[in-house]
Amino acid sequence: AQSVTQLDSHVSVSEGTPVLLRCNYSSSYSPSLFWYVQHPNKGLQLLLKYTSAATLVKGINGFEAEFKKSETSFHLTKPSAHMSDAAEYFCVVRGYSSASKIIFGSGTRLSIRP
Amino acid sequence: DAGVIQSPRHEVTEMGQEVTLRCKPISGHDYLFWYRQTMMRGLELLIYFNNNVPIDDSGMPEDRFSAKMPNASFSTLKIQPSEPRDSAVYFCASSSGLAGVHGELFFGEGSRLTVL
């Protein structure tokens, strides 16, 4: 069975400072992991995904995430926050078959201070 | 491609009325998902289809909810009768089974339902 835990419900950073959104997962098999972003009144958009090809994954808008099997983590980072990054972020785990359930984390709301 | 298309974007109705939400998935995608999002419960999977066949409807709240996928390009989620607690944003998403476990979901913009 899979599960995913986003450790912070809300993160606030100043513009220009680094962003860290934490995600831990549990999976019986090697999982696929995703980060999605949801801007206000919008649908969810894929930021990046881990497919076992490389442990450091680069996504859109300068975001990246590192898969750490020993820590069962897939934290999302960005070196320098921009006001437009303010949104809700979801970590997602998917099992080993295409029919496996897709499990969404509870979300982390990112606020950016001017 | 136009992406996943949902309609209506906003719906305000009165308790007891029937509500029908519509979704057109991305052409060629063989998986379709319906999610509900609320502040209290976050994102909940209601039901998903593979090749137009419902695979898992364990997330459907109760018999008032039903979903159909008559063909590969159209799905509906119906609530009859609607209740105020059904107020939420309903998302449709699609994905391709060809991508296997690495296939991401593509989401529509959502249908915001308010039941008075």
Side-chain angles (χ1 to χ4, degrees):
Chain A
Q2 297 93 238
S3 67
V4 60
T5 302
Q6 292 184 243
L7 298 163
D8 307 292
S9 60
H10 182 214
V11 170
S12 179
V13 301
S14 296
E15 189 175 20
T17 64
V19 174
L20 170 64
L21 305 183
R22 298 182 295 165
C23 172
N24 285 107
Y25 71 91
S26 172
S27 178
S28 303
Y29 299 87
S30 182
S32 291
L33 294 159
F34 308 80
W35 275 99
Y36 284 82
V37 60
Q38 183 181 26
H39 288 93
N41 300 314
K42 295 289 187 183
L44 283 75
Q45 179 187 15
L46 181 71
L47 267 181
L48 51 81
K49 64 179 178 181
Y50 167 72
T51 62
S52 75
T55 56
L56 182 62
V57 183
K58 294 188 184 298
I60 62 172
N61 300 334
F63 284 93
E64 60 183 38
E66 186 171 7
F67 174 72
K68 292 187 176 181
K69 186 175 181 179
S70 61
E71 299 177 10
T72 61
S73 69
F74 190 56
H75 300 336
L76 182 70
T77 60
K78 182 173 180 177
S80 176
H82 192 271
M83 294 301 290
S84 61
D85 295 328
E88 187 91 13
Y89 291 79
F90 294 91
C91 183
V92 179
V93 63
R94 188 172 191 177
Y96 58 93
S97 78
S98 58
S100 298
K101 279 197 172 180
I102 300 169
I103 309 296
F104 279 78
S106 55
T108 298
R109 183 165 60 92
L110 176 64
S111 299
I112 312 295
R113 300 187 299 271
Chain B
D1 200 307
V4 176
I5 300 172
Q6 291 187 246
S7 64
R9 289 294 315 278
H10 301 275
E11 173 92 7
V12 180
T13 191
E14 293 189 345
M15 183 173 63
Q17 296 297 306
E18 177 180 297
V19 173
T20 300
L21 308 178
R22 298 172 177 80
C23 175
K24 177 179 167 54
I26 291 173
S27 176
H29 282 187
D30 52 347
Y31 282 86
L32 184 140
F33 304 79
W34 282 101
Y35 285 88
R36 177 171 68 176
Q37 186 178 40
T38 61
M39 290 289 292
M40 292 296 294
R41 303 169 74 97
L43 265 170
E44 303 173 274
L45 176 64
L46 300 178
I47 185 171
Y48 79 92
F49 296 82
N50 178 220
N51 291 323
N52 314 337
V53 176
I55 303 300
D56 184 352
D57 65 353
S58 59
M60 295 285 263
E62 50 199 272
D63 292 346
R64 297 185 297 107
F65 285 69
S66 62
K68 294 182 179 179
M69 192 165 185
N71 57 62
S73 59
F74 183 66
S75 177
T76 59
L77 178 68
K78 186 175 292 187
I79 308 172
Q80 167 64 20
S82 58
E83 297 182 3
R85 59 193 168 122
D86 302 329
S87 298
V89 181
Y90 291 82
F91 286 102
C92 177
S94 70
S95 72
S96 170
L98 290 176
V101 297
H102 304 313
E104 69 262 31
L105 300 184
F106 292 81
F107 282 81
E109 296 269 283
S111 294
R112 181 176 295 276
L113 173 64
T114 302
V115 183
L116 303 174

